[in-house]
Amino acid sequence: MAPTEPDASTTEHTPEHASSAAPPASEPAPRHAVDPPSAVSGSTPDEADAAAPELLAQRGAPSRTNEVGRSSEPTTLGGHAVAFLRELSVVVVGALVISTLLRVFVAQMYDIPSPSMHDSLQIGDRVLVEKISRVQRGQVVVFHDPGGWLSEPAPQRGPMGQALEFVGLLPASSDHIVKRVIGMPGDQVICCDPDGRITVNGHPLVEPYVVGQPPSVIRFRVEVPADHLFVLGDNRVNSRDSRCHLNDPGTVVGAGAFVPTAEVVGRGVAVVWPRAHWQSLDPPPSYGGIPTGRNPARDHPVIEAGPEARC
């Protein structure tokens, strides 16, 4: 009788059988077709993006190191030049904007075109004019022609010159006039006292800027109206100033002799060019003791002047 074979269902495997059935330990585990869940699952989008380059590098794929399209390779010389020009243009535009704002609201340069302020100011002097503080007696001021003061219109610059003037790179050169404030609204200005001096509200002026000539050869007595100024040039024998318009025709004869305060650009602070003429333009001490005039000032001027009050 032939021996029976063991039933497969009851066959007991020996350790040899188990070891032969197991795969070799050195054989790598099957490669997953997708990223391991532990690397990306449970992470925020930012953490996943941060881990992505490392995972791609493990696979041999190119790394996504730039999310905004900028090249990670060294910038070329042309790129440096473009970046430099871009930054330079921002700086230049910013400087021009600041210069324009300063010119419009703070200060501006003006050239002296005539000898009417000699010896204080020479032809060609460049004066810094500030536009913030209030005008006071004795100050040198720049103002627009109130009407008929300029014997001929000022020469006009071309488009380029006007642009440079607008941004403050060239001094203003239009219908501006430079004189010294003698009377404020309500002041009574008279030429002259027994000593030949101009008086303001009875106070005689000591005028060291009037050199080699009398304070005025034109005799007058005026009271300055509200919102106006009475101005004179320092070169009294060669200055078309308020005295020259005391007989001008109009609704009120001589009203054109007074400069509206609204036409004043600002006060001269100093001569800044040429270097040999550097000086401040502060009022002389004699203006400090002038008493207050009529307050409130009249709406219309009071004028007494002879026929010689013309220039």
Side-chain angles (χ1 to χ4, degrees), residues 1 4 25 41 54 61 70 95 107 123 133 137 140 144 148 159 165 170 181 183 228 235 240 246 250 258 303:
M1 182 174 178
T4 61
S41 62
E54 183 179 352
R70 291 179 297 185
I123 295 177
S133 63
R137 300 182 193 94
V140 173
H144 297 285
E165 180 180 327
L170 284 179
V181 177
H228 288 74
N235 188 4
R240 291 178 56 85
L246 292 174
F258 304 91
I303 302 172

Side-chain angles (χ1 to χ4, degrees), residues 153-282:
Q156 297 296 317
R157 289 190 171 119
M160 180 60 69
Q162 292 178 7
L164 294 176
E165 180 180 327
F166 178 76
V167 298
L169 297 180
L170 284 179
S173 63
S174 57
D175 63 338
H176 296 95
I177 302 172
V178 182
K179 303 294 180 188
R180 189 179 298 273
V181 177
I182 304 298
M184 297 289 291
D187 285 349
Q188 185 181 69
V189 184
I190 299 174
C191 176
C192 289
D193 69 0
D195 294 324
R197 298 171 299 183
I198 291 177
T199 65
V200 179
N201 301 330
H203 180 81
L205 297 180
V206 178
E207 301 182 281
Y209 43 78
V210 179
V211 179
Q213 52 186 294
S216 179
V217 295
I218 299 174
R219 304 290 172 168
F220 58 85
R221 178 191 297 265
V222 300
E223 186 174 312
V224 186
D227 302 321
H228 288 74
L229 305 172
F230 186 84
V231 299
L232 299 177
D234 290 354
N235 188 4
R236 300 290 164 80
V237 297
N238 191 13
S239 174
R240 291 178 56 85
D241 47 41
S242 290
R243 301 168 301 164
C244 301
H245 302 277
L246 292 174
N247 289 317
D248 283 0
T251 304
V252 177
V253 175
F258 304 91
V259 178
T261 54
E263 297 294 339
V264 176
V265 176
R267 71 176 185 93
V269 176
V271 179
V272 297
W273 190 260
R275 292 179 58 184
H277 295 175
W278 282 2
Q279 62 170 320
S280 65
L281 296 175
D282 297 328

Side-chain angles (χ1 to χ4, degrees), residues 4-89:
T4 61
E5 295 182 359
D7 187 12
S9 62
T10 61
T11 302
E12 183 179 355
H13 293 283
T14 64
E16 290 80 1
H17 291 135
S19 62
S20 63
S26 60
E27 207 172 292
R31 176 171 287 224
H32 292 282
V34 297
D35 292 335
S38 60
V40 294
S41 62
S43 302
T44 65
D46 290 341
E47 292 172 342
D49 287 344
E54 183 179 352
L55 295 174
L56 290 174
Q58 292 175 358
R59 297 179 183 178
S63 174
R64 294 184 297 115
T65 59
N66 196 315
E67 295 293 339
V68 295
R70 291 179 297 185
S71 174
S72 60
E73 298 183 0
T75 306
T76 63
L77 180 61
H80 281 301
V82 171
F84 171 76
L85 292 176
R86 184 184 299 115
E87 293 178 3
L88 180 62
S89 64

